[in-house]
Amino acid sequence: MGANSSSIDSNSANGSNHPPLKTKLEDIPEACAALILSYLDPPEICKLARLSRAFSAASSADFIWDSKLPSNYRYILEELLAMSIAGMGKKDIFAKLSRPNSFDSGTKEVWIDQNNGGVCLAVSAKGMTITGIDDRRYWNHIPTDESRFGIVAYLHQIWWVEVDGELEFQFPAGTYSVFFRLQLGKFTKRLGRRVITNTEQVHGWDLKPVQFQLTTSDGGCVMSKCYLDNVGTWVHHHVGDFVVKDSAAMTKLKFSLMQIDCTHTKGGLCVDSVLICPISLAKELRSS
């Protein structure tokens, strides 16, 4: 009884018989909401923006996205993609870069990782020089939805295998990894299921290893070797890593895949693309 009386007296003293109002998310000042969001990663920002109007409005503030964008975002949009960013908010720029953007006649793509804003690039098989690619006795291009470029190069049989590519790009400072995405065996779909075919053409890869090489414009050079055995499975084969110290400078990369031992033929190889990404993302590829 005493507790009830105390509660009634307290409400009466406030001049109201109703319980005190509770603070809601909408009551948070937009500036405070924006400051909170600036400490979060992009996926977390998007989740909070769906919770209330205050966070939704605050999520468009430019200063939130400044630190999420890579240092070379102007170079990518204005010089590489020939786009004007006049009037674009930083949130819109981040959204644009989070999607794959093709360049160099569609043979290359650039995008940023949605979690940390790291810059990634991919070079298609058509964007590289492949020995014998114009002779259909050796190679041909196969359309597929398993490639981000919609097409891969397939090797029937050849004595000398050499795939060369190069890229010049303004990378943000950091350490990057380079991978070749390869598969042994031709594939197709039957009744909606993935089926590996022409496995009898897969040969020669267990006799000698494939050699990968990466060189950079600052004189760096790394090489690695491995035997290919991934029949029916796409694998990112690590070529090497490189370090960018000056984010304002252009970095030129040359990368290659070779198996040039002419004592035996090789066949049944699918070449999809070369991937270049920050080393923090590369760890996931190596463990997969």
Side-chain angles (χ1 to χ4, degrees):
M1 181 68 179
N4 290 336
S5 298
S6 175
S7 177
I8 293 172
D9 291 342
S10 175
N11 288 335
S12 298
N14 292 331
S16 172
N17 291 324
H18 301 287
L21 297 175
K22 294 182 178 179
T23 302
K24 300 179 181 180
L25 283 176
E26 286 79 3
D27 298 325
I28 299 177
E30 186 176 317
C32 293
L35 186 60
I36 294 171
L37 294 176
S38 67
Y39 290 97
L40 304 179
D41 292 330
E44 296 171 325
I45 294 174
C46 295
K47 288 179 182 178
L48 275 181
R50 293 193 292 266
L51 291 180
S52 72
R53 293 178 182 177
F55 280 106
S56 179
S59 67
S60 296
D62 275 354
F63 82 90
I64 293 177
W65 298 97
D66 267 330
S67 61
K68 318 300 180 188
L69 288 168
S71 60
N72 66 339
Y73 76 89
R74 288 183 177 275
Y75 159 77
I76 296 175
L77 291 174
E78 295 181 335
E79 297 185 40
L80 197 66
L81 305 179
M83 288 181 55
S84 172
I85 62 174
M88 289 183 67
K90 297 296 179 62
K91 181 180 180 181
D92 295 329
I93 292 175
F94 188 92
K96 170 65 179 174
L97 292 177
S98 295
R99 299 186 293 270
N101 296 274
S102 63
F103 63 101
D104 199 5
S105 301
T107 61
K108 300 178 178 68
E109 286 187 350
V110 60
W111 69 96
I112 62 174
D113 181 69
Q114 293 185 0
N115 292 306
N116 59 22
V119 176
C120 305
L121 296 108
V123 181
S124 72
K126 281 202 165 186
M128 293 182 275
T129 302
I130 301 176
T131 301
I133 191 65
D134 295 325
D135 192 328
R136 297 191 66 180
R137 292 176 301 172
Y138 306 128
W139 293 87
N140 69 303
H141 288 102
I142 303 174
T144 173
D145 58 5
E146 295 190 357
S147 168
R148 67 186 313 116
F149 295 97
I151 195 167
V152 299
Y154 177 72
L155 172 64
H156 297 286
Q157 180 171 282
I158 205 169
W159 291 90
W160 181 292
V161 177
E162 186 169 9
V163 182
D164 297 291
E166 61 181 56
L167 174 76
E168 190 170 22
F169 188 79
Q170 187 186 91
F171 289 93
T175 303
Y176 297 83
S177 294
V178 179
F179 295 87
F180 265 92
R181 187 172 187 258
L182 309 172
Q183 176 185 263
L184 293 180
K186 194 175 179 180
F187 53 91
T188 186
K189 283 191 176 180
R190 296 174 183 169
L191 301 176
R193 298 183 62 184
R194 187 176 189 271
V195 179
I196 300 298
T197 61
N198 294 63
T199 54
E200 69 278 0
Q201 287 190 346
V202 178
H203 67 282
W205 307 108
D206 57 339
L207 300 177
K208 293 287 183 178
V210 167
Q211 177 178 295
F212 301 102
Q213 182 169 309
L214 168 68
T215 60
T216 58
S217 50
D218 62 359
C221 181
V222 291
M223 289 188 295
S224 60
K225 294 181 179 182
C226 76
Y227 288 90
L228 303 185
D229 58 3
N230 54 304
V231 177
T233 304
W234 287 108
V235 171
H236 286 91
H237 292 276
H238 185 228
V239 179
D241 302 328
F242 64 96
V243 178
V244 176
K245 296 180 179 179
D246 185 359
S247 58
M250 298 294 290
T251 299
K252 187 171 184 178
L253 306 176
K254 291 186 177 181
F255 37 84
S256 64
L257 173 164
M258 291 184 291
Q259 215 283 32
I260 55 178
D261 185 340
C262 293
T263 61
H264 63 283
T265 61
K266 283 76 67 174
L269 174 67
C270 286
V271 179
D272 174 29
S273 58
V274 164
L275 173 66
I276 304 161
C277 64
I279 196 169
S280 58
L281 300 176
K283 294 176 181 178
E284 298 178 8
L285 295 175
R286 293 180 189 180
S287 61
S288 61

